[in-house]
């Protein structure tokens, strides 16, 4: 299992490097594909598909709106990055109304909790993941900035694991994730802050046109690490609520997209917002 997990992790990092370094249309297609899979995993976990897991109207609406969402964001970025935000809000509102239409005109086929779960899954998966694309393509130095997300998520997770193994004694959420400790969480937050400072000093401030203050980088790293931990635990809570082990089997040794990208999904919007505010975007 460890060998499989390690090899899958290496392959995943290699793919991420290639895709984010290339950017452009390739990145848009990959993020869209990942969003579709994440949405399907979430709706399956939340039982939006029904007992037989057959395609349902709420799921189909969510998939169609995901396609519309990414298509319009791509067009908006091609015109002007600031134009992407009102487009995002319009598509999100259109998705909400579409789910309401399904609820009303198929009543009582779908329960209210299924419709609400479908909208939740759309926001949680496709919309949150889109900030990776916005961060990479929306800034002139996006090719450098996007790696902050992975430092906040995967970097902090590694730091938290190491500190937790070494000195972890007090359980953080014993009913949700018994292996996570308060000491590990603190180590992850401080570790991410340090990683952000080092990356900012040696990469961002050296090879880009922008300059970030090191204290600001540390705060952004700590905030990113904190929300990434919440994202990890939130994804675990959904699994516990619905009594499933993994969201899928796409990534050997890791599970599904939501099992591997649970922290990345939540860290991406926070890092994007922090960079946007820091640069007066």
């Amino acid at each position: 299992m460890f060998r499989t997990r390690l090899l899958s992790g290496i392959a995943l990092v290699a793919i991420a490097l290639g895709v984010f370094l290339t950017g452009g249309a390739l990145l848009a297609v990959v993020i869209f594909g990942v969003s579709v899979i994440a949405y399907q995993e979430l709706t399956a976990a939340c039982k939006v598909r029904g007992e037989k897991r057959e395609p349902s109207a709420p799921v189909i609406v969510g998939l169609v709106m995901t396609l519309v969402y990414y298509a319009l964001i791509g067009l908006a970025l091609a015109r002007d990055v600031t134009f992407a935000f009102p487009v995002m809000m319009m598509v999100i509102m259109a998705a909400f109304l579409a789910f309401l239409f399904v609820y009303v005109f198929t009543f009582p086929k779908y329960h209210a909790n299924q419709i609400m779960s479908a909208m939740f899954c759309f926001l949680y998966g496709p919309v949150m993941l889109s900030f990776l694309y916005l961060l990479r393509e929306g800034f002139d130095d996006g090719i450098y900035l996007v790696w902050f997300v992975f430092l906040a998520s995967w970097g902090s997770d590694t730091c938290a694991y190491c500190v937790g193994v070494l000195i972890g004694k007090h359980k953080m959420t014993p009913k949700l994730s018994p292996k996570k400790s308060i000491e590990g969480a603190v180590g992850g937050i401080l570790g991410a802050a340090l990683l952000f400072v080092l990356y900012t000093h040696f990469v961002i401030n050296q090879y880009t046109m922008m300059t970030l203050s090191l204290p600001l980088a540390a705060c952004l790293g700590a905030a990113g690490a904190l929300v990434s931990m919440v994202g990890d635990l939130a994804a675990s809570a959904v699994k516990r609520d619905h009594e499933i082990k993994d969201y899928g089997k796409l990534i050997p040794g890791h599970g599904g997209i939501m099992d591997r990208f649970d922290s990345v999904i939540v860290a991406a919007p926070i890092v994007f917002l922090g960079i946007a505010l820091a640069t007066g975007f």
Side-chain angles (χ1 to χ4, degrees):
M1 174 62 75
F2 175 77
R3 179 185 176 87
T4 301
R5 185 178 178 86
L6 177 62
L7 292 176
S8 296
I10 294 173
L12 196 63
V13 170
I15 292 172
L17 279 170
V19 170
F20 283 102
L21 288 175
T22 303
L26 175 62
L27 177 62
V29 171
V30 171
I31 294 293
F32 168 71
V34 169
S35 296
V36 167
I37 296 171
Y39 183 75
Q40 291 180 314
E41 289 178 351
L42 283 166
T43 52
C46 295
K47 297 180 172 58
V48 179
R49 293 176 176 269
E51 294 182 359
K52 297 181 179 179
R53 297 170 68 90
E54 73 282 356
S56 62
V59 173
I60 293 173
V61 166
L63 293 174
V64 170
M65 294 309 300
T66 298
L67 175 60
V68 172
Y69 179 78
Y70 276 95
L72 292 180
I73 284 181
L75 292 173
L77 283 179
R79 176 179 173 180
D80 180 15
V81 64
T82 58
F83 190 64
F85 301 106
V87 170
M88 290 171 64
M89 292 305 301
M90 287 188 292
V91 177
I92 290 171
M93 288 304 302
F96 177 70
L97 292 174
F99 285 124
L100 289 184
F101 269 83
V102 169
Y103 184 41
V104 169
F105 291 105
T106 62
F107 190 83
K109 184 175 182 179
Y110 300 106
H111 298 293
N113 63 331
Q114 289 178 298
I115 300 299
M116 288 186 286
S117 294
M119 186 64 195
F120 165 78
C121 294
F122 176 71
L123 294 174
Y124 193 8
V127 173
M128 298 285 272
L129 278 167
S130 69
F131 282 92
L132 281 171
Y133 179 62
L134 290 169
L135 184 59
R136 171 61 177 86
E137 297 298 313
F139 293 91
D140 292 335
D141 296 311
I143 192 172
Y144 296 99
L145 297 174
V146 73
W147 304 109
F148 275 132
V149 176
F150 296 98
L151 290 177
S153 54
W154 295 350
S156 68
D157 185 57
T158 301
C159 293
Y161 175 78
C162 293
V163 173
V165 168
L166 291 174
I167 61 173
K169 294 181 179 180
H170 301 87
K171 302 300 181 183
M172 184 168 63
T173 54
K175 292 185 179 180
L176 186 57
S177 186
K179 295 182 179 181
K180 294 186 184 298
S181 65
I182 295 176
E183 293 84 356
V186 172
I189 293 172
L190 295 178
L194 177 60
L195 289 173
F196 268 56
V197 167
L198 293 175
Y199 186 72
T200 298
H201 178 70
F202 290 107
V203 178
I204 299 298
N205 292 347
Q206 297 293 328
Y207 298 102
T208 73
M209 298 298 293
M210 61 186 300
T211 300
L212 290 178
S213 70
L214 298 186
L216 180 61
C219 291
L220 183 57
L226 179 61
V227 297
S228 73
M229 291 179 190
V230 173
D232 183 15
L233 293 170
S236 296
V238 172
K239 290 192 290 186
R240 299 289 187 277
D241 277 343
H242 296 91
E243 299 179 344
I244 60 174
K245 183 179 183 296
D246 294 317
Y247 282 99
K249 300 179 180 179
L250 180 65
I251 308 172
H254 292 271
I257 289 295
M258 287 300 303
D259 294 295
R260 182 64 275 180
F261 288 88
D262 47 9
S263 58
V264 172
I265 287 174
V266 181
I270 298 301
V271 171
F272 178 89
L273 179 60
I275 296 296
L277 292 175
T279 58
F281 176 72

